[in-house]
Amino acid sequence: MNTLDIITKKRNGEELSFDEIAFLVNGYTEGSIPDYQMSAFLMAVYFRGMNHDETVALTQIMRDSGDVIDLGPIDGIKVDKHSTGGVGDKTTLIVAPIAAACGVPIAKMSGRGLGFTGGTVDKLESIPGYRTSLDKDEFMRQVNETGIAVIGQTGHITPADKKIYALRDVTATVENLSLITSSIMSKKLAAGSDAIVLDVKCGSGAFMKNEKDAGELASLMVEIGKANGKRTVAVITDMNQPLGNAVGNSLEVIEAIETLKGNGPDDITKLSIKLAAVMIYAGGKAGSIEEGEVKAAEAIKNGAALAKLRDLIGAQGGCVNVIDDYSVMPSTSNHYNVYASSDGYIKSMDAMRIGVASQHTGAGRATKEDTIDLGAGIYLNKKTGDFVKKGDIIAQVHTDKDNYSDIIAEIEDAICITNDRNDSPELIKRIYT
Ligand code: URA
């Protein structure tokens, strides 16, 4: 087999066989195929696409490029949840304890944030003492004993995706349905759960800017999950404005705890109940998503979900006092207000631009090697649809960086105020089962 022939075939729009895709992906992962040839291949895929069989093949080849976790020693139907990435998205910290409190075993591996999107592992690491790395036996034992464990991805899962995703990031080849699907689904399949719940984000702060593209991604991921024998459900949700009010690691943990206490912002509470309901249903602990919603809401109301978060934090060495005393969380020394420039209704809050501004506070990374400030971020006092008067505080910037005035300007630019009354965007758009 020859690399040039495979690239040429894809460039001409022909279908590739499993063996041809495996030759390319495995050769690139091992280092025998150079970046420039893989870049050309990815660009050919970007323009020509891949059909269903090719996408299934690419997903399986990437899944098998590293360890595939066997969660067999854990009792019950294990359910994983994945978000395609957003701003202020702390739902894992909320839905995982809710689902676990309803009897669904959660054996979850999460990622770190990069660019304008956050990552669950960074958020958890803002809890003093929390260990995001457990060995395999500890991980399995903890899920069997407490019903929940959330750790960072091990170094041995899907090395092919790790290398290819880094190349896609710098060759303008991220936004392709087959490449996104195979990247996400290979990791989810390697992580070993029996069922997968996907939160496919749609809007200015997401890869998929409109509902049609998000729908195509959702249905393709559901198809690929099912083709691999996993119960898979995708929920398309809005990412035109940040989720909730807090953006930034420790700020988001505090908001997640407040949500589990029943005091969360409406959007985060509503989305968390829906996603948890789908997990409870996929895990066989409810006969329908509607029944799952009742159980999820009850787990918040009776404190079972908050108790499960406490168990999780304690089991992984974190400071459980955080549940009652937020002063143990990292915070910045400086806070700056962002004021409304006129009277009116907030028409839009561009999620991506606020995510970028949050990154500039120190809360996010530009490159994998950057260190972050776990206490930094942005707190939004107002959201889309709210009425404001000139001089009202719209947001607070938490940063110890010197460039705070640039960050304030970025947030002002991301927010549009008009005279016309308008509604906030519809949060939950569609469910693909
Ligand atoms: N997230 C991933 O893990 N991969 C993609 O390709 C896009 C989002």
Side-chain angles (χ1 to χ4, degrees), residues 165 168 179-180 183-184 187 207:
Y165 192 51
R168 286 168 59 209
L179 296 178
I180 296 177
S183 165
I184 292 175
K187 289 187 282 251
F207 287 119

Side-chain angles (χ1 to χ4, degrees), residues 77-392:
I77 302 174
K78 280 75 67 185
V79 182
D80 199 355
K81 173 248 165 202
H82 181 82
S83 154
T84 56
V87 179
D89 186 356
K90 69 282 292 172
T91 50
T92 294
L93 304 174
I94 305 163
V95 301
I98 297 176
C102 294
V104 178
I106 303 293
K108 180 144 183 55
M109 285 180 209
S110 289
R112 292 189 185 279
L114 185 62
F116 69 89
T117 60
T120 301
V121 169
D122 297 323
K123 292 169 203 184
L124 286 169
E125 284 182 354
S126 69
I127 300 170
Y130 189 100
R131 288 191 302 141
T132 52
S133 160
L134 300 180
D135 72 32
K136 202 169 125 204
D137 291 340
E138 273 181 301
F139 181 62
M140 306 274 185
R141 194 174 340 111
Q142 185 178 314
V143 183
N144 272 332
E145 284 172 5
T146 65
I148 184 167
V150 185
I151 59 171
Q153 240 158 44
T154 76
H156 315 295
I157 286 196
T158 57
D161 175 63
K162 219 169 258 169
K163 210 168 161 190
I164 293 171
Y165 192 51
L167 190 63
R168 286 168 59 209
D169 213 20
V170 293
T171 55
T173 52
V174 170
E175 293 92 344
N176 171 272
L177 277 185
S178 291
L179 296 178
I180 296 177
T181 296
S182 55
S183 165
I184 292 175
M185 294 307 287
S186 61
K187 289 187 282 251
K188 293 291 111 186
L189 295 171
S193 282
D194 306 300
I196 302 165
V197 174
L198 300 159
D199 179 3
V200 179
K201 299 291 184 198
C202 163
S204 68
F207 287 119
M208 298 295 147
K209 303 293 179 205
N210 61 59
E211 210 175 318
K212 180 177 163 290
D213 291 348
E216 282 178 26
L217 178 63
S219 60
L220 186 56
M221 289 201 290
V222 168
E223 258 180 54
I224 301 294
K226 286 185 176 167
N228 284 281
K230 307 283 181 186
R231 188 185 283 195
T232 309
V233 184
V235 185
I236 298 187
T237 69
D238 184 70
M239 189 34 76
N240 280 301
Q241 63 173 335
L243 254 180
N245 300 90
V247 183
N249 299 292
S250 113
L251 293 172
E252 291 190 40
V253 169
I254 295 168
E255 187 165 270
I257 296 171
E258 281 297 307
T259 304
L260 289 174
K261 288 178 179 172
N263 308 322
D266 286 351
D267 58 349
I268 274 286
T269 304
K270 191 172 163 196
L271 179 61
S272 299
I273 289 179
K274 181 67 86 179
L275 290 174
V278 176
M279 292 173 78
I280 296 164
Y281 166 66
K285 299 292 178 187
S288 64
I289 294 175
E290 292 70 31
E291 189 189 331
E293 281 187 62
V294 174
K295 291 192 168 190
E298 186 56 29
I300 294 180
K301 203 162 161 216
N302 66 21
L306 185 66
K308 196 53 87 177
L309 179 66
R310 192 188 293 268
D311 291 346
L312 168 69
I313 294 172
Q316 288 187 223
C319 170
V320 291
N321 294 349
V322 68
I323 302 278
D324 308 301
D325 177 8
Y326 302 140
S327 71
V328 303
M329 294 292 285
S331 61
T332 57
S333 307
N334 298 294
H335 305 157
Y336 305 94
N337 292 335
V338 182
Y339 299 100
S341 53
S342 59
D343 290 2
Y345 293 92
I346 297 187
K347 182 166 181 245
S348 59
M349 292 189 132
D350 190 302
M352 188 168 97
R353 293 167 80 176
I354 289 175
V356 171
S358 172
Q359 185 187 338
H360 294 161
T361 65
R365 300 180 181 80
T367 71
K368 277 205 311 277
E369 290 71 33
D370 288 351
T371 49
I372 54 175
D373 180 346
L374 293 168
I378 296 166
Y379 190 85
L380 300 168
N381 300 60
K382 304 285 180 190
K383 297 287 297 278
T384 303
D386 286 350
F387 180 77
V388 290
K389 287 193 87 59
K390 183 174 178 183
D392 280 354

